[in-house]
Amino acid sequence: MNNIEIKNKDCGVKINLFEKMYIITIFLMSTNAIIPAIRSQGGVEYDTVNGDIFMQMIWICIYLITVILIILKWERVKNKIFGNKWIGLLIIFAFLSIIWSASPAMTFRRCIALLFTQLIGTYLYAAYGLEGILDMLRWTFGLSIFLCLIFSIFFPLYGRHYDGIFDGVWKGIYTHKNSLGQFMVFSTTVWVISILDSLKTSKFRVCIYSIFTLLSVFLVLKSESKTSLVLIPIILSVIPVCLIIRRSLKLVIGISMTLIPISGYMFYLYFNNIQDLIVDMGKNMTLSGRTSIWEIVIQAIKMKPLFGYGYGAFWQGFKGPSEFICNTMGLNVPSAHNGYLNLTLELGCIGLFIFIISLITNLVQMLIIQRFYNNYIVMFPLICLMFIVFFNITESSITMQNTIYWIIYSIVCTSSDCEFKDMDISIRDLIWIGGTESVAKT
């Protein structure tokens, strides 16, 4: 009982200069940073349905480099690269949707991009581990924060909105203020975890990471993204939950039983005062028009509830299946602004079911993993998971190809599976062994 065997965590892998540049480029490209913002401000136009050819060529180069690196490191990554069955099943189902897709050619092309996005995420974890990925995210967000400040202060034509709607609001190196807010929330979580991980090793690093944390929050405020501002405390609340789990699962159960009635009362107050709350945040009851889109999207889902319209095939602007939504809204709607509805549109209730099973499986595994680890880095996948869960309530990022969200979800899935398989524990062990009695992995 007191000697649970857990294999040693893969230690950090030394990353050479080329690989650092490759990983940072992937993270920057997957956040649509710098290049799209400059090209957009420069008046470069492209088909919003078929995408930007220039960006697609860059991604093809990234795919090729990824394949080469996988081949070169095959012995290290072969057991992890295709490890997660649920995410693999979801991608297979996306390819199958070519059969009934509203646009088979578009579905095929986007499925290929989705597969490579998945491979990038699983490769990054398999080759570099959580420690290496977190290090590269620090470099990426450090660079992003610096460039956002430079763009917004010294090159406001590129770094701020001047569109008659959000005049003067910061967007940094991104194409929209909401993108700046979202990625800076993610940046904040990276720096907070880094602070906690460095508390006992380097006070200098703690100071540096604290500065970047404050700058990330500052940029969230300058983006005026209310959703992002709300997300910060919600996502960071995962950290104390993990710490309680490590101390005693029985304590977690007791606290949960106490919080359930309190939470119920808070939800009652929330839903009875939601209109005042949203108005105070500068929003209206339609959440900037999102609820109107959701109502029409649900109607579209009812027409093809099981299989959907095919992966990546629904949103085609004022033509194809999305025509009636765009005509109703009077604008080119690019997505459902809800990841779960968007996935159901494309892959039906079957696709949504597969994703939910994947989500729940990873969540349970990551919570159990917290029980037997002492370091803070293993909290990072769980925080990422919660970020994805809440972020997709008002935005669409589930199964979105060439985005950091799906790369991170792939990393989370691979990490969850690999770390969980390393542990040989029973439910009785999980519940009854105290935090100081178990052999925790460092």
Side-chain angles (χ1 to χ4, degrees):
M1 181 81 72
N2 294 332
N3 294 309
I4 297 177
E5 297 241 352
I6 303 176
K7 296 179 184 178
N8 287 330
K9 180 176 176 281
D10 289 339
C11 49
V13 178
K14 188 175 181 180
I15 306 175
N16 62 43
L17 181 61
F18 171 77
E19 289 174 311
K20 283 185 178 180
M21 292 175 62
Y22 157 76
I23 298 170
I24 292 172
T25 300
I26 285 176
F27 286 144
L28 286 175
M29 289 291 297
S30 62
T31 57
N32 270 335
I34 305 175
I35 296 176
I38 293 175
R39 284 168 61 81
S40 175
Q41 189 61 41
V44 177
E45 296 183 358
Y46 60 90
D47 188 340
T48 56
V49 175
N50 292 314
D52 187 341
I53 297 296
F54 179 74
M55 296 295 289
Q56 289 171 356
M57 293 303 295
I58 295 176
W59 275 108
I60 288 173
C61 293
I62 291 174
Y63 298 159
L64 291 174
I65 293 172
T66 303
V67 170
I68 293 171
L69 288 173
I70 289 174
I71 293 171
L72 292 175
K73 298 189 178 184
W74 182 247
E75 287 302 316
R76 179 175 177 81
V77 306
K78 65 180 179 181
N79 294 326
K80 300 176 182 177
I81 204 74
F82 299 111
N84 191 281
K85 60 182 179 182
W86 288 110
I87 201 171
L89 182 60
L90 188 61
I91 292 176
I92 290 171
F93 190 68
F95 271 97
L96 287 175
S97 71
I98 295 171
I99 299 170
W100 60 83
S101 172
S103 179
M106 185 180 296
T107 296
F108 176 74
R109 188 178 74 248
R110 291 182 175 177
C111 280
I112 294 296
L114 178 66
L115 175 62
F116 275 103
T117 307
Q118 163 67 20
L119 286 176
I120 289 170
T122 52
Y123 165 74
L124 290 179
Y125 176 78
Y128 310 113
L130 287 179
E131 188 176 343
I133 291 169
L134 196 63
D135 185 40
M136 289 298 97
L137 284 171
R138 284 194 293 264
W139 279 98
T140 302
F141 283 122
L143 179 61
S144 297
I145 289 169
F146 174 75
L147 291 176
C148 281
L149 292 172
I150 295 297
F151 271 51
S152 299
I153 296 172
F154 298 106
F155 303 98
L157 187 63
Y158 293 95
R160 302 188 189 187
H161 278 288
Y162 291 103
D163 53 5
I165 302 174
F166 306 114
D167 284 349
V169 178
W170 287 24
K171 60 187 179 72
I173 57 175
Y174 304 103
T175 56
H176 197 274
K177 72 181 190 70
N178 287 345
S179 297
L180 173 61
Q182 292 153 13
F183 295 129
M184 287 304 107
V185 172
F186 192 25
S187 172
T188 302
T189 64
V190 168
W191 296 114
V192 170
I193 288 295
S194 299
I195 290 170
L196 294 173
D197 194 55
S198 302
L199 283 175
K200 295 182 178 179
T201 57
S202 174
K203 291 183 179 180
F204 175 74
R205 287 187 178 183
V206 169
C207 292
I208 297 297
Y209 297 160
S210 298
I211 292 171
F212 279 109
T213 302
L214 293 174
L215 288 174
S216 298
V217 175
F218 171 75
L219 287 172
V220 171
L221 293 172
K222 296 300 290 184
S223 74
E224 298 186 10
S225 173
K226 306 299 190 301
T227 302
S228 299
L229 197 59
V230 170
L231 271 179
I232 292 177
I234 292 175
I235 302 305
L236 293 182
S237 66
V238 173
I239 295 174
V241 171
C242 291
L243 294 175
I244 294 172
I245 289 173
R246 290 179 182 184
R247 183 170 181 82
S248 172
L249 195 60
K250 289 183 287 185
L251 180 61
V252 174
I253 295 171
I255 292 174
S256 299
M257 295 302 292
T258 304
L259 290 179
I260 285 173
I262 297 175
S263 300
Y265 181 66
M266 293 298 292
F267 273 109
Y268 171 79
L269 292 177
Y270 172 79
F271 283 110
N272 277 276
N273 296 278
I274 187 170
Q275 184 168 357
D276 294 336
L277 177 63
I278 292 174
V279 171
D280 288 343
M281 290 176 62
K283 299 284 186 179
N284 55 43
M285 281 301 291
T286 66
L287 294 176
S288 303
R290 286 179 174 88
T291 57
S292 301
I293 297 174
W294 296 345
E295 291 173 2
I296 309 173
V297 164
I298 291 172
Q299 294 178 25
I301 290 173
K302 290 178 179 178
M303 297 178 190
K304 294 188 176 183
L306 285 180
F307 298 99
Y309 294 80
Y311 176 73
F314 184 84
W315 298 104
Q316 300 182 40
F318 288 93
K319 61 181 181 179
S322 62
E323 179 182 1
F324 80 99
I325 293 181
C326 294
N327 286 331
T328 302
M329 297 300 297
L331 51 87
N332 187 354
V333 182
S335 73
H337 288 284
N338 179 288
Y340 309 101
L341 290 177
N342 209 71
L343 178 61
T344 311
L345 265 179
E346 297 185 342
L347 297 177
C349 292
I350 295 176
L352 179 64
F353 174 77
I354 296 172
F355 176 74
I356 294 297
I357 293 297
S358 168
L359 196 65
I360 293 173
T361 301
N362 286 305
L363 179 60
V364 171
Q365 288 181 345
M366 292 310 303
L367 285 172
I368 292 174
I369 287 170
Q370 302 307 313
R371 188 78 179 88
F372 299 97
Y373 285 71
N374 278 333
N375 64 44
Y376 290 97
I377 293 179
V378 292
M379 293 182 185
F380 182 64
L382 185 58
I383 291 175
C384 291
L385 201 62
M386 299 311 297
F387 178 82
I388 290 168
V389 168
F390 286 102
F391 175 73
N392 277 282
I393 294 174
T394 56
E395 299 295 339
S396 302
S397 71
I398 300 172
T399 66
M400 288 293 289
Q401 72 279 5
N402 300 338
T403 63
I404 195 170
Y405 303 111
W406 198 247
I407 291 174
I408 293 297
Y409 188 71
S410 302
I411 291 170
V412 168
C413 290
T414 310
S415 167
S416 172
D417 271 7
C418 293
E419 300 291 352
F420 193 73
K421 287 174 182 176
D422 281 349
M423 300 191 302
D424 181 20
I425 59 175
S426 67
I427 297 298
R428 185 168 179 270
D429 290 331
L430 175 64
I431 295 176
W432 293 107
I433 292 183
T436 56
E437 294 175 322
S438 60
V439 178
K441 190 175 173 185
T442 58

